Amino acid sequence: MGKILIGMSLILVLGYLIVLSYVGIDSEIGAINCPLYSYTGLECAGCGSQRAFLHLLSFEYREAFLQNPILFILLPYLILGFVFFYFKRVWSMLPERLGIVLFSSKAAFVVLFILILWTIVRNI
Amino acid sequence: MKRFFYSDGENQFGPFTIEELKEKPIKPDTLIWYQGLEEWTAASDAALIKEELGFVKKPVVELSDEELEQQMQEMIPASIPESKLDGHFKKMPYPWLVESILLTIFCCQPLGIVAIIYAAQVESKFTKGDYEGAKKASDNAALFTKIGLFLTAGFVLFYFIIALGAGM
């Protein structure tokens, strides 16, 4: 039951991203607005990452960077993490110690710190 | 009693006593950790155990291609079947780190931050020998990540229905 629910949710979210990448960023039926931003006017650490992601899909690095620069740090990290946790055989081409250090508790707290700092900085 | 951990290239295992560690498939380049070590260290470099495990530096010898190939084969870590993991030593619980960061930057920061805080505790608790704590942190990280995912999906569904209604 849980797995079906997770699967369906993933399909919905991915489907949404695919539709969004087809209709484009400026379309009337485009992106879902963040309720947190609508109500508080505060920008989260990830605010603009949907738009940045769409710009990246069309190789517009400058626009993507302006929307949300933190993706340029976190996306490579997340891709490495995805390989480390899900494709161990691929990771074995890289130094094993690197993976343990990159995805250790200390590293996770560094990421957390960066995210919170970025949230504060962008709202000042 | 010192606790020892090792990594087989896929997962981290522990805690072991030195006697238990000797029975594990430890190679000179297997990464080892115990309290007192700054970071994960190759078994042949870990001061406390290299002699216990009999890893003494061999003189460099020229190897033929065949011998080299054979050594490479031996270096591939033996995988441990899931069934052997029910003993008192355990595999590190999955930390949900990638998922919780994804959730934070692409959807719901408040939920995502909570998930990352839990995710960040898994490895440190596990290497301190607190398996229960690590398991709990992992479960909580999973819970918050899943709530975030369901919320996102629900939102997409809701938005889709509204958009359909407006378009008709």
Side-chain angles (χ1 to χ4, degrees):
Chain A
M1 178 60 202
K3 283 207 169 134
I4 296 174
L5 208 57
I6 290 172
M8 276 167 43
S9 305
L10 281 177
I11 289 171
L12 259 177
V13 174
L14 289 179
Y16 164 70
L17 281 180
I18 291 169
V19 169
L20 196 62
S21 63
Y22 273 107
V23 298
I25 208 156
D26 301 316
S27 139
E28 289 274 314
I29 56 162
I32 296 176
N33 291 318
C34 171
L36 208 68
Y37 179 71
S38 310
Y39 283 108
T40 63
L42 290 173
E43 291 190 329
C44 292
C47 206
S49 54
Q50 243 181 77
R51 278 161 282 157
F53 183 72
L54 290 178
H55 281 306
L56 277 183
L57 283 184
S58 37
F59 304 106
E60 297 159 352
Y61 301 110
R62 212 184 105 85
E63 286 82 353
F65 188 83
L66 290 177
Q67 286 295 346
N68 195 339
I70 201 142
L71 280 194
F72 283 71
I73 306 170
L74 284 182
L75 273 188
Y77 180 73
L78 286 173
I79 291 169
L80 280 179
F82 196 67
V83 174
F84 178 71
F85 286 117
Y86 289 95
F87 299 97
K88 296 281 188 182
R89 298 272 166 233
V90 181
W91 187 271
S92 60
M93 292 187 294
L94 294 164
E96 187 187 347
R97 199 182 320 225
L98 179 72
I100 295 182
V101 171
L102 268 182
F103 305 103
S104 65
S105 286
K106 275 182 200 160
F109 277 115
V110 171
V111 172
L112 184 65
F113 178 74
I114 292 175
L115 282 170
I116 291 175
L117 193 70
W118 171 232
T119 313
I120 295 171
V121 167
R122 77 183 317 188
N123 280 299
I124 288 178
Chain B
M1 173 74 77
K2 269 246 185 276
R3 301 160 185 278
F4 297 87
F5 297 81
Y6 80 94
S7 163
D8 70 350
E10 299 208 350
N11 291 296
Q12 290 151 253
F13 299 95
F16 304 104
T17 64
I18 185 75
E19 277 71 30
E20 290 166 330
L21 195 69
K22 281 183 196 166
E23 288 161 18
K24 304 296 169 227
I26 311 283
K27 307 254 176 348
D29 65 337
T30 303
L31 292 182
I32 301 286
W33 188 84
Y34 50 82
Q35 260 169 344
L37 273 189
E38 290 265 314
E39 53 172 354
W40 288 77
T41 307
S44 56
D45 295 331
L48 265 183
I49 58 160
K50 63 179 172 189
E51 283 176 18
E52 293 271 358
L53 294 174
F55 295 140
V56 202
K57 289 251 159 84
K58 286 181 195 153
V60 182
V61 209
E62 287 285 327
L63 292 174
S64 71
D65 282 354
E66 265 179 34
E67 285 170 321
L68 208 61
E69 181 73 19
Q70 201 183 347
Q71 285 215 343
M72 296 285 272
Q73 285 297 323
E74 284 168 7
M75 278 165 70
I76 295 171
S79 58
I80 298 170
E82 215 40 59
S83 58
K84 290 235 171 121
L85 295 175
D86 326 297
H88 69 284
F89 72 93
K90 301 280 197 329
K91 180 174 147 183
M92 186 170 93
Y94 184 64
W96 291 90
L97 187 58
V98 174
E99 291 80 357
S100 56
I101 296 174
L102 265 181
L103 182 69
T104 309
I105 57 174
F106 280 109
C107 170
C108 346
Q109 171 148 1
L111 278 173
I113 291 286
V114 178
I116 296 179
I117 291 174
Y118 281 119
Q121 296 172 14
V122 176
E123 189 256 3
S124 64
K125 285 195 168 158
F126 179 73
T127 48
K128 281 194 191 99
D130 178 9
Y131 179 78
E132 291 306 315
K135 182 83 180 63
K136 211 167 183 178
S138 165
D139 288 347
N140 280 332
L143 177 70
F144 280 96
T145 308
K146 281 174 193 164
I147 293 175
L149 175 67
F150 294 151
L151 260 181
T152 318
F155 216 72
V156 169
L157 196 62
F158 176 73
Y159 192 79
F160 182 68
I161 292 168
I162 299 276
L164 265 191
M168 289 296 150

mmCIF file with all atom_site columns, all heavy atoms in Angstrom, chain B residues 6 8 13 24-25 77-85 89:
data_model
loop_
_atom_site.group_PDB
_atom_site.id
_atom_site.type_symbol
_atom_site.label_atom_id
_atom_site.label_alt_id
_atom_site.label_comp_id
_atom_site.label_asym_id
_atom_site.label_entity_id
_atom_site.label_seq_id
_atom_site.pdbx_PDB_ins_code
_atom_site.Cartn_x
_atom_site.Cartn_y
_atom_site.Cartn_z
_atom_site.occupancy
_atom_site.B_iso_or_equiv
_atom_site.pdbx_formal_charge
_atom_site.auth_seq_id
_atom_site.auth_comp_id
_atom_site.auth_asym_id
_atom_site.auth_atom_id
_atom_site.pdbx_PDB_model_num
ATOM 1   N N   . TYR B 1 6  ? 33.437 -1.574  9.611  1.00 0.00 ? 6  TYR B N   1
ATOM 2   C CA  . TYR B 1 6  ? 34.122 -1.604  8.315  1.00 0.00 ? 6  TYR B CA  1
ATOM 3   C C   . TYR B 1 6  ? 33.108 -1.375  7.209  1.00 0.00 ? 6  TYR B C   1
ATOM 4   O O   . TYR B 1 6  ? 31.896 -1.486  7.405  1.00 0.00 ? 6  TYR B O   1
ATOM 5   C CB  . TYR B 1 6  ? 34.864 -2.925  8.124  1.00 0.00 ? 6  TYR B CB  1
ATOM 6   C CG  . TYR B 1 6  ? 34.009 -4.084  7.680  1.00 0.00 ? 6  TYR B CG  1
ATOM 7   C CD1 . TYR B 1 6  ? 33.893 -4.393  6.325  1.00 0.00 ? 6  TYR B CD1 1
ATOM 8   C CD2 . TYR B 1 6  ? 33.340 -4.884  8.597  1.00 0.00 ? 6  TYR B CD2 1
ATOM 9   C CE1 . TYR B 1 6  ? 33.109 -5.473  5.921  1.00 0.00 ? 6  TYR B CE1 1
ATOM 10  C CE2 . TYR B 1 6  ? 32.569 -5.949  8.203  1.00 0.00 ? 6  TYR B CE2 1
ATOM 11  C CZ  . TYR B 1 6  ? 32.455 -6.250  6.853  1.00 0.00 ? 6  TYR B CZ  1
ATOM 12  O OH  . TYR B 1 6  ? 31.688 -7.283  6.458  1.00 0.00 ? 6  TYR B OH  1
ATOM 13  N N   . ASP B 1 8  ? 32.193 -2.431  3.170  1.00 0.00 ? 8  ASP B N   1
ATOM 14  C CA  . ASP B 1 8  ? 32.526 -3.389  2.115  1.00 0.00 ? 8  ASP B CA  1
ATOM 15  C C   . ASP B 1 8  ? 32.454 -2.753  0.732  1.00 0.00 ? 8  ASP B C   1
ATOM 16  O O   . ASP B 1 8  ? 32.440 -3.415  -0.276 1.00 0.00 ? 8  ASP B O   1
ATOM 17  C CB  . ASP B 1 8  ? 31.624 -4.620  2.193  1.00 0.00 ? 8  ASP B CB  1
ATOM 18  C CG  . ASP B 1 8  ? 30.192 -4.301  1.802  1.00 0.00 ? 8  ASP B CG  1
ATOM 19  O OD1 . ASP B 1 8  ? 29.872 -3.105  1.656  1.00 0.00 ? 8  ASP B OD1 1
ATOM 20  O OD2 . ASP B 1 8  ? 29.398 -5.240  1.635  1.00 0.00 ? 8  ASP B OD2 1
ATOM 21  N N   . PHE B 1 13 ? 29.298 -1.654  8.165  1.00 0.00 ? 13 PHE B N   1
ATOM 22  C CA  . PHE B 1 13 ? 28.863 -2.669  9.114  1.00 0.00 ? 13 PHE B CA  1
ATOM 23  C C   . PHE B 1 13 ? 29.514 -2.473  10.472 1.00 0.00 ? 13 PHE B C   1
ATOM 24  O O   . PHE B 1 13 ? 30.632 -1.982  10.562 1.00 0.00 ? 13 PHE B O   1
ATOM 25  C CB  . PHE B 1 13 ? 29.193 -4.074  8.596  1.00 0.00 ? 13 PHE B CB  1
ATOM 26  C CG  . PHE B 1 13 ? 28.529 -4.411  7.301  1.00 0.00 ? 13 PHE B CG  1
ATOM 27  C CD1 . PHE B 1 13 ? 29.197 -4.231  6.107  1.00 0.00 ? 13 PHE B CD1 1
ATOM 28  C CD2 . PHE B 1 13 ? 27.224 -4.875  7.271  1.00 0.00 ? 13 PHE B CD2 1
ATOM 29  C CE1 . PHE B 1 13 ? 28.581 -4.533  4.903  1.00 0.00 ? 13 PHE B CE1 1
ATOM 30  C CE2 . PHE B 1 13 ? 26.608 -5.172  6.083  1.00 0.00 ? 13 PHE B CE2 1
ATOM 31  C CZ  . PHE B 1 13 ? 27.277 -5.004  4.892  1.00 0.00 ? 13 PHE B CZ  1
ATOM 32  N N   . LYS B 1 24 ? 35.720 -11.230 9.442  1.00 0.00 ? 24 LYS B N   1
ATOM 33  C CA  . LYS B 1 24 ? 35.065 -10.549 8.321  1.00 0.00 ? 24 LYS B CA  1
ATOM 34  C C   . LYS B 1 24 ? 36.005 -10.485 7.119  1.00 0.00 ? 24 LYS B C   1
ATOM 35  O O   . LYS B 1 24 ? 37.218 -10.599 7.278  1.00 0.00 ? 24 LYS B O   1
ATOM 36  C CB  . LYS B 1 24 ? 34.644 -9.137  8.736  1.00 0.00 ? 24 LYS B CB  1
ATOM 37  C CG  . LYS B 1 24 ? 33.756 -9.108  9.951  1.00 0.00 ? 24 LYS B CG  1
ATOM 38  C CD  . LYS B 1 24 ? 32.434 -9.812  9.674  1.00 0.00 ? 24 LYS B CD  1
ATOM 39  C CE  . LYS B 1 24 ? 31.678 -9.998  10.981 1.00 0.00 ? 24 LYS B CE  1
ATOM 40  N NZ  . LYS B 1 24 ? 31.157 -11.348 11.140 1.00 0.00 ? 24 LYS B NZ  1
ATOM 41  N N   . PRO B 1 25 ? 35.412 -10.300 5.930  1.00 0.00 ? 25 PRO B N   1
ATOM 42  C CA  . PRO B 1 25 ? 36.267 -10.257 4.733  1.00 0.00 ? 25 PRO B CA  1
ATOM 43  C C   . PRO B 1 25 ? 37.028 -8.940  4.629  1.00 0.00 ? 25 PRO B C   1
ATOM 44  O O   . PRO B 1 25 ? 36.741 -8.100  3.783  1.00 0.00 ? 25 PRO B O   1
ATOM 45  C CB  . PRO B 1 25 ? 35.259 -10.395 3.586  1.00 0.00 ? 25 PRO B CB  1
ATOM 46  C CG  . PRO B 1 25 ? 33.994 -9.856  4.132  1.00 0.00 ? 25 PRO B CG  1
ATOM 47  C CD  . PRO B 1 25 ? 33.996 -10.149 5.606  1.00 0.00 ? 25 PRO B CD  1
ATOM 48  N N   . PRO B 1 77 ? 35.329 -6.607  -3.117 1.00 0.00 ? 77 PRO B N   1
ATOM 49  C CA  . PRO B 1 77 ? 34.816 -7.037  -1.814 1.00 0.00 ? 77 PRO B CA  1
ATOM 50  C C   . PRO B 1 77 ? 33.724 -8.099  -1.948 1.00 0.00 ? 77 PRO B C   1
ATOM 51  O O   . PRO B 1 77 ? 32.899 -8.031  -2.854 1.00 0.00 ? 77 PRO B O   1
ATOM 52  C CB  . PRO B 1 77 ? 34.258 -5.754  -1.199 1.00 0.00 ? 77 PRO B CB  1
ATOM 53  C CG  . PRO B 1 77 ? 34.113 -4.807  -2.336 1.00 0.00 ? 77 PRO B CG  1
ATOM 54  C CD  . PRO B 1 77 ? 35.065 -5.210  -3.405 1.00 0.00 ? 77 PRO B CD  1
ATOM 55  N N   . ALA B 1 78 ? 33.796 -9.089  -1.069 1.00 0.00 ? 78 ALA B N   1
ATOM 56  C CA  . ALA B 1 78 ? 32.771 -10.125 -1.068 1.00 0.00 ? 78 ALA B CA  1
ATOM 57  C C   . ALA B 1 78 ? 31.470 -9.520  -0.568 1.00 0.00 ? 78 ALA B C   1
ATOM 58  O O   . ALA B 1 78 ? 31.461 -8.801  0.417  1.00 0.00 ? 78 ALA B O   1
ATOM 59  C CB  . ALA B 1 78 ? 33.210 -11.258 -0.144 1.00 0.00 ? 78 ALA B CB  1
ATOM 60  N N   . SER B 1 79 ? 30.382 -9.772  -1.280 1.00 0.00 ? 79 SER B N   1
ATOM 61  C CA  . SER B 1 79 ? 29.119 -9.208  -0.803 1.00 0.00 ? 79 SER B CA  1
ATOM 62  C C   . SER B 1 79 ? 28.540 -10.125 0.267  1.00 0.00 ? 79 SER B C   1
ATOM 63  O O   . SER B 1 79 ? 28.745 -11.330 0.254  1.00 0.00 ? 79 SER B O   1
ATOM 64  C CB  . SER B 1 79 ? 28.133 -9.033  -1.942 1.00 0.00 ? 79 SER B CB  1
ATOM 65  O OG  . SER B 1 79 ? 27.927 -10.281 -2.549 1.00 0.00 ? 79 SER B OG  1
ATOM 66  N N   . ILE B 1 80 ? 27.838 -9.530  1.190  1.00 0.00 ? 80 ILE B N   1
ATOM 67  C CA  . ILE B 1 80 ? 27.327 -10.276 2.330  1.00 0.00 ? 80 ILE B CA  1
ATOM 68  C C   . ILE B 1 80 ? 25.819 -10.455 2.165  1.00 0.00 ? 80 ILE B C   1
ATOM 69  O O   . ILE B 1 80 ? 25.105 -9.465  2.012  1.00 0.00 ? 80 ILE B O   1
ATOM 70  C CB  . ILE B 1 80 ? 27.625 -9.532  3.641  1.00 0.00 ? 80 ILE B CB  1
ATOM 71  C CG1 . ILE B 1 80 ? 29.131 -9.427  3.800  1.00 0.00 ? 80 ILE B CG1 1
ATOM 72  C CG2 . ILE B 1 80 ? 26.999 -10.235 4.836  1.00 0.00 ? 80 ILE B CG2 1
ATOM 73  C CD1 . ILE B 1 80 ? 29.556 -8.518  4.903  1.00 0.00 ? 80 ILE B CD1 1
ATOM 74  N N   . PRO B 1 81 ? 25.349 -11.693 2.150  1.00 0.00 ? 81 PRO B N   1
ATOM 75  C CA  . PRO B 1 81 ? 23.908 -11.873 1.960  1.00 0.00 ? 81 PRO B CA  1
ATOM 76  C C   . PRO B 1 81 ? 23.106 -11.270 3.110  1.00 0.00 ? 81 PRO B C   1
ATOM 77  O O   . PRO B 1 81 ? 23.557 -11.264 4.259  1.00 0.00 ? 81 PRO B O   1
ATOM 78  C CB  . PRO B 1 81 ? 23.728 -13.388 1.893  1.00 0.00 ? 81 PRO B CB  1
ATOM 79  C CG  . PRO B 1 81 ? 24.987 -13.964 2.427  1.00 0.00 ? 81 PRO B CG  1
ATOM 80  C CD  . PRO B 1 81 ? 26.061 -12.967 2.238  1.00 0.00 ? 81 PRO B CD  1
ATOM 81  N N   . GLU B 1 82 ? 21.932 -10.771 2.785  1.00 0.00 ? 82 GLU B N   1
ATOM 82  C CA  . GLU B 1 82 ? 21.040 -10.112 3.739  1.00 0.00 ? 82 GLU B CA  1
ATOM 83  C C   . GLU B 1 82 ? 20.800 -11.004 4.961  1.00 0.00 ? 82 GLU B C   1
ATOM 84  O O   . GLU B 1 82 ? 20.754 -10.533 6.078  1.00 0.00 ? 82 GLU B O   1
ATOM 85  C CB  . GLU B 1 82 ? 19.731 -9.865  2.998  1.00 0.00 ? 82 GLU B CB  1
ATOM 86  C CG  . GLU B 1 82 ? 18.913 -8.620  3.276  1.00 0.00 ? 82 GLU B CG  1
ATOM 87  C CD  . GLU B 1 82 ? 19.634 -7.307  3.478  1.00 0.00 ? 82 GLU B CD  1
ATOM 88  O OE1 . GLU B 1 82 ? 20.370 -6.837  2.586  1.00 0.00 ? 82 GLU B OE1 1
ATOM 89  O OE2 . GLU B 1 82 ? 19.407 -6.732  4.532  1.00 0.00 ? 82 GLU B OE2 1
ATOM 90  N N   . SER B 1 83 ? 20.694 -12.334 4.735  1.00 0.00 ? 83 SER B N   1
ATOM 91  C CA  . SER B 1 83 ? 20.339 -13.262 5.808  1.00 0.00 ? 83 SER B CA  1
ATOM 92  C C   . SER B 1 83 ? 21.404 -13.307 6.905  1.00 0.00 ? 83 SER B C   1
ATOM 93  O O   . SER B 1 83 ? 21.140 -13.682 8.028  1.00 0.00 ? 83 SER B O   1
ATOM 94  C CB  . SER B 1 83 ? 20.144 -14.661 5.239  1.00 0.00 ? 83 SER B CB  1
ATOM 95  O OG  . SER B 1 83 ? 21.325 -15.072 4.596  1.00 0.00 ? 83 SER B OG  1
ATOM 96  N N   . LYS B 1 84 ? 22.652 -12.925 6.542  1.00 0.00 ? 84 LYS B N   1
ATOM 97  C CA  . LYS B 1 84 ? 23.719 -12.984 7.537  1.00 0.00 ? 84 LYS B CA  1
ATOM 98  C C   . LYS B 1 84 ? 23.696 -11.760 8.433  1.00 0.00 ? 84 LYS B C   1
ATOM 99  O O   . LYS B 1 84 ? 24.545 -11.595 9.290  1.00 0.00 ? 84 LYS B O   1
ATOM 100 C CB  . LYS B 1 84 ? 25.072 -13.082 6.836  1.00 0.00 ? 84 LYS B CB  1
ATOM 101 C CG  . LYS B 1 84 ? 25.294 -14.408 6.160  1.00 0.00 ? 84 LYS B CG  1
ATOM 102 C CD  . LYS B 1 84 ? 26.570 -15.046 6.644  1.00 0.00 ? 84 LYS B CD  1
ATOM 103 C CE  . LYS B 1 84 ? 26.676 -16.468 6.142  1.00 0.00 ? 84 LYS B CE  1
ATOM 104 N NZ  . LYS B 1 84 ? 27.862 -16.673 5.350  1.00 0.00 ? 84 LYS B NZ  1
ATOM 105 N N   . LEU B 1 85 ? 22.753 -10.873 8.176  1.00 0.00 ? 85 LEU B N   1
ATOM 106 C CA  . LEU B 1 85 ? 22.769 -9.610  8.896  1.00 0.00 ? 85 LEU B CA  1
ATOM 107 C C   . LEU B 1 85 ? 21.860 -9.597  10.118 1.00 0.00 ? 85 LEU B C   1
ATOM 108 O O   . LEU B 1 85 ? 21.672 -8.569  10.731 1.00 0.00 ? 85 LEU B O   1
ATOM 109 C CB  . LEU B 1 85 ? 22.366 -8.461  7.963  1.00 0.00 ? 85 LEU B CB  1
ATOM 110 C CG  . LEU B 1 85 ? 23.329 -8.194  6.817  1.00 0.00 ? 85 LEU B CG  1
ATOM 111 C CD1 . LEU B 1 85 ? 22.780 -7.139  5.895  1.00 0.00 ? 85 LEU B CD1 1
ATOM 112 C CD2 . LEU B 1 85 ? 24.678 -7.759  7.340  1.00 0.00 ? 85 LEU B CD2 1
ATOM 113 N N   . PHE B 1 89 ? 25.342 -7.673  14.852 1.00 0.00 ? 89 PHE B N   1
ATOM 114 C CA  . PHE B 1 89 ? 25.888 -6.540  14.108 1.00 0.00 ? 89 PHE B CA  1
ATOM 115 C C   . PHE B 1 89 ? 24.929 -6.206  12.970 1.00 0.00 ? 89 PHE B C   1
ATOM 116 O O   . PHE B 1 89 ? 24.203 -7.048  12.494 1.00 0.00 ? 89 PHE B O   1
ATOM 117 C CB  . PHE B 1 89 ? 27.291 -6.830  13.586 1.00 0.00 ? 89 PHE B CB  1
ATOM 118 C CG  . PHE B 1 89 ? 27.352 -7.803  12.449 1.00 0.00 ? 89 PHE B CG  1
ATOM 119 C CD1 . PHE B 1 89 ? 27.344 -7.340  11.141 1.00 0.00 ? 89 PHE B CD1 1
ATOM 120 C CD2 . PHE B 1 89 ? 27.401 -9.161  12.671 1.00 0.00 ? 89 PHE B CD2 1
ATOM 121 C CE1 . PHE B 1 89 ? 27.412 -8.229  10.085 1.00 0.00 ? 89 PHE B CE1 1
ATOM 122 C CE2 . PHE B 1 89 ? 27.463 -10.054 11.626 1.00 0.00 ? 89 PHE B CE2 1
ATOM 123 C CZ  . PHE B 1 89 ? 27.463 -9.587  10.319 1.00 0.00 ? 89 PHE B CZ  1
#
